[in-house]
Amino acid sequence: MTGAEPVFLLAPARSYSTVAVALLSGHPDVYGFPETLVFNAATVGELLREGTGWARFPLRQSGLWRAVADLHEGSQDGDAVARAREWLADRADWPTTRLMDHLIDLARPRVSLEKSPDTSSDDAILARCMAAYPRARFLHLVRHPVTTQRSLHEHWRPAGRFRSEKALIAEAAAFWYLSHQRIIAALASLPSEQWMRVRAEDLLTEPRIWLPRILAWLRLDGDPHIVDRMLLTENWRFAGTGRSDDLLGGDPKFLRSPALRPIPAPGPVVFDPSWGLHDEMCDRMTDLAHSLGY
């Protein structure tokens, strides 16, 4: 077992990344974090003040609160979370990388596994992560572009962020394409053994095949009995929404019903004509999807 370096799962939103972390966290030597958003800002104070535009969702930070409470006190009840928030506020001048170092140290000897979709959504955020942890390992999780688009439309539409349905559809397409291009470019500079790419559909459909492969890459025990226990995603320490029923830190739908469920197999890369995507965007997404194994 090696607990020296963390693992960061890189994937855009709506890629089954919360389920993937819950699966991997079933291994006794892995500590799977909820979404901490820790690389979104340079300091803890800036991270706590994040509250403009797309970030104006108070519960976005509840994954970080839960992680601090769990690692400090072994609890995520209301009092522990309140103390975690106070502890973070008292360290507003800390670099966020110091905060991440602190959490990783507390999780040792377990391997820390963190995923925040925001990390791959912006060049500066991803660069901050990779600069802070140049020897970390990176798991690139991909999902079929068509099903990702449908999920993004469903997830983003209620927020009312977009001026029109057409704008929402165009943003979702660009989001999937640019996020994966950003991840691919960043990983290209690393030794091949430092990163691994997995299709979410393969991992969730055939976990007994893919979990041992990922564990072998991480140099962790892949005994079949351990893998069987990993399938109980409802046992993830951050499954559910806390005793207060208002804590997140991942996909709300999965957190509220965290059992592992079958998903459809990826079909052909054919975009719904009613979306009205430009041919050039469809061609680019299709080429990228093919390169990712679809």
Side-chain angles (χ1 to χ4, degrees), residues 103-218:
L103 298 178
I104 290 170
D105 284 343
L106 291 176
R108 285 193 171 103
R110 294 161 293 182
V111 175
S112 290
L113 169 65
E114 199 276 346
K115 73 97 184 175
S116 295
D118 287 33
T119 303
S120 62
S121 69
D122 181 271
D123 290 334
I125 297 175
L126 182 56
R128 183 177 291 122
C129 172
M130 298 190 73
Y133 299 98
R135 292 186 296 277
R137 287 164 291 181
F138 298 90
L139 181 62
H140 181 193
L141 189 71
V142 301
R143 181 183 177 184
H144 194 286
V146 176
T147 59
T148 305
Q149 297 307 293
R150 292 195 181 108
S151 184
L152 286 169
H153 299 167
E154 177 186 353
H155 189 66
W156 285 357
R157 191 176 287 115
R161 176 191 178 203
F162 300 95
R163 66 184 182 276
S164 67
E165 184 73 6
K166 183 178 180 179
L168 183 155
I169 289 170
E171 179 69 14
F175 179 77
W176 180 90
Y177 180 80
L178 293 175
S179 294
H180 284 300
Q181 289 283 49
R182 183 175 294 113
I183 294 168
I184 291 167
L187 296 181
S189 63
L190 299 180
S192 59
E193 64 271 13
Q194 215 169 322
W195 64 273
M196 181 179 186
R197 180 174 297 134
V198 177
R199 298 196 318 176
E201 296 89 351
D202 295 334
L203 176 58
L204 271 61
T205 302
E206 299 180 306
R208 287 187 173 86
I209 293 175
W210 284 92
L211 284 173
R213 295 179 184 179
I214 296 172
L215 295 174
W217 169 63
L218 294 174

